[in-house]
Amino acid sequence: MISIAWWLLRITLVVCSIRPTPALAGEPVRLAQNEEPSQDLSAQTQKPQSPQWHYGGFVDLGYSQDFNYPDNHLFRNRGTTPRVNELELNMGGAYIMKSATEQSRWGAELLGQGGQDSKEFGFGTNLPHVPGSDVWRHFGRANLSYLAPVGNGLTIQAGLFNSFIGYESLYAKDNFNYTRSWVADYSPYLMFGANAVYPVNDRWTGAVFIINEYFHLQDANSLPSYGAQTIYKPGEPWTIKETVYYGPDQSNTSLEFWRFFSDTIVEWKSKEVTIAGQYQVGTQKNATVPGNPRLMYMGAALHMRWHLKKSWFLALRPELYSDPNGLITGSEQFVWAVTATAEYRLPYEWTNSIFRLEYRHDNSTGPGGGFFKGAENRLTPSQNLLIFSVIWTFDSQCSNTPC
């Protein structure tokens, strides 16, 4: 897999060096400053108006005040915003990309990243890592795409691309809340492989994908995994998305031990308000335990955001996550959490500054549940966080189109 990724990355670099000029005015694409790709499901079925190269970057600084004051400064069982009571560079990155359009059918994305949020996001619990994973975790995109002149347009993409699963992005700048939900942190943010997307009509869009594994930096075996997605728009302002995954995520690749996973999202989006419900469920038989018991996990979240006035936003996210066998989180636990976020955005030319104040309460029960507390890092069922963050972004297309 690594050799394929290396050659793909070299090809992407060559393609990106052809014409890295500022973007033409047109419809924003996935990493535009005030675009929220994981929150706007309808954007996946829209076509850019014109071909465009654009480039940009972002810096994400956060401080999480944990009133448990754990000595190890860790937010237990978390892949993103993993450290507390410290000012952290949670994520920084730079990117260059081009959309595949009818005028220019080849597209490319390349994104490099670093920070606390880039350290653990692509790995499965207690599973081996791919060789060179400490290098590959610094890539957030590395792919090529082609818009084939078939019917309404068939888009084929290969390499490292944004996950078809989930509602939230790896990048806090693209989400309603600063910290990610439990369902987001324990489903893939990125995928490595190939996919094909076809808009059947204005209401229906279908996609299929083949990837290396559920988490792209784990290395449980050498077989690929498979998935499909359907997006249905019954009419404004509704969007319904269903994604399924099926593949081997253990060293024993017999079909009876493959994982089945479903991700369902229903979104209602108006000009000022967005409300989206998400439900995930996964199951697989355990190949290493006598009797091969069937394990299950599930999670749900309600994502809500209000545009209050000019640059002010308010977000609220209640959620729950059940992992009774510790298959996904590594701990046998049931978690419920509530997160509230106030946000102020300050755009200036082709930059955007995002200031957030967030309160988060998590409660974890079960044999392996709990969060670190005090000098002994003992476990306690609940945790309260007060989070301050500043995110600065820039994008070349904002020089021609307001962001």
Side-chain angles (χ1 to χ4, degrees):
M1 188 198 81
I2 297 301
S3 61
I4 296 173
W6 171 241
W7 280 106
L8 177 64
L9 180 59
R10 293 181 63 180
I11 294 171
T12 304
L13 286 169
V14 171
V15 172
C16 290
S17 68
I18 295 174
R19 218 178 75 189
T21 57
L24 302 175
E27 181 180 285
V29 293
R30 180 165 294 275
L31 288 179
Q33 302 235 265
N34 55 3
E35 184 81 348
E36 291 163 352
S38 55
Q39 273 74 27
D40 188 358
L41 303 182
S42 62
Q44 299 182 39
T45 65
Q46 297 173 354
K47 296 180 181 179
Q49 297 175 357
S50 59
Q52 53 182 330
W53 281 100
H54 71 112
Y55 54 89
F58 53 93
V59 176
D60 170 1
L61 293 172
Y63 179 86
S64 300
Q65 178 64 50
D66 184 349
F67 294 97
N68 286 342
Y69 300 102
D71 241 19
N72 58 14
H73 293 246
L74 292 180
F75 188 161
R76 185 170 181 253
N77 293 146
R78 297 293 293 180
T80 57
T81 58
R83 300 196 63 82
V84 297
N85 302 110
E86 297 175 356
L87 179 63
E88 294 289 350
L89 173 63
N90 281 317
M91 186 66 85
Y95 57 85
I96 184 170
M97 58 183 61
K98 175 188 176 295
S99 300
T101 69
E102 293 181 358
Q103 294 78 26
S104 180
R105 294 190 176 276
W106 284 98
E109 294 180 302
L110 181 65
L111 188 158
Q113 63 190 23
Q116 292 293 336
D117 288 355
S118 70
K119 291 183 176 180
E120 298 294 336
F121 74 98
F123 304 107
T125 302
N126 299 322
L127 290 172
H129 298 176
V130 299
S133 60
D134 196 50
V135 173
W136 298 114
R137 66 181 178 84
H138 291 294
F139 290 90
R141 303 284 194 281
N143 62 71
L144 294 174
S145 58
Y146 179 71
L147 178 60
V150 177
N152 295 325
L154 175 67
T155 301
I156 301 170
Q157 187 179 49
L160 181 65
F161 48 85
N162 192 55
S163 175
F164 283 81
I165 294 171
Y167 191 71
E168 293 173 285
S169 169
L170 173 62
Y171 309 108
K173 69 184 183 67
D174 299 321
N175 297 327
F176 296 167
N177 305 96
Y178 182 71
T179 57
R180 264 64 79 197
S181 63
W182 288 82
V183 291
D185 253 15
Y186 287 101
S187 55
Y189 288 114
L190 301 174
M191 291 178 169
F192 182 83
N195 69 77
V197 179
Y198 184 76
V200 178
N201 52 41
D202 292 340
R203 292 193 173 188
W204 290 94
T205 297
V208 294
F209 55 87
I210 178 171
I211 57 177
N212 66 322
E213 291 195 27
Y214 185 78
F215 291 108
H216 74 288
L217 294 179
Q218 73 182 29
D219 191 22
N221 56 71
S222 59
L223 293 185
S225 298
Y226 308 89
Q229 181 183 91
T230 299
I231 299 177
Y232 174 56
K233 291 183 64 64
E236 296 295 342
W238 293 95
T239 302
I240 301 171
K241 184 179 78 168
E242 174 64 31
T243 308
V244 295
Y245 164 94
Y246 188 56
D249 287 283
Q250 304 178 76
S251 58
N252 188 329
T253 58
S254 297
L255 197 62
E256 64 174 310
F257 300 121
W258 283 29
R259 177 182 302 176
F260 174 80
F261 173 85
S262 168
D263 178 41
T264 305
I265 300 172
V266 179
E267 180 189 70
W268 185 93
K269 185 179 180 70
S270 69
K271 184 177 179 181
E272 305 295 342
V273 181
T274 301
I275 301 175
Q278 179 179 17
Y279 176 74
Q280 295 184 349
V281 60
T283 181
Q284 70 181 43
K285 283 188 175 182
N286 191 326
T288 62
V289 174
N292 307 126
R294 178 165 294 279
L295 312 180
M296 294 190 69
Y297 61 96
M298 59 82 66
L302 183 62
H303 308 269
M304 296 175 282
R305 192 194 201 198
W306 295 268
H307 185 185
L308 300 178
K309 185 179 180 181
K310 292 184 179 179
S311 297
W312 286 96
F313 300 84
L314 181 65
L316 182 66
R317 185 189 63 216
E319 58 176 303
L320 56 86
Y321 200 87
S322 176
D323 189 18
N325 306 109
L327 173 65
I328 300 298
T329 65
S331 302
E332 301 175 15
Q333 60 181 323
F334 174 82
V335 180
W336 66 265
V338 178
T339 304
T341 309
E343 175 185 312
Y344 179 77
R345 289 183 173 240
L346 183 62
Y348 178 72
E349 294 185 349
W350 59 332
T351 70
N352 204 358
S353 299
I354 306 169
F355 304 90
R356 287 177 179 166
L357 174 63
E358 181 165 295
Y359 169 74
R360 175 173 181 142
H361 175 82
D362 293 83
N363 187 274
S364 172
T365 57
F371 302 95
F372 295 120
K373 182 176 182 178
E376 301 83 12
N377 299 316
R378 64 185 184 278
L379 295 182
T380 187
S382 64
Q383 176 179 260
N384 292 284
L385 299 177
L386 188 61
I387 303 153
F388 308 87
S389 67
V390 178
I391 305 171
W392 181 79
T393 71
F394 72 94
D395 193 290
S396 62
Q397 74 176 0
C398 299
S399 61
N400 295 317
T401 305
C403 287

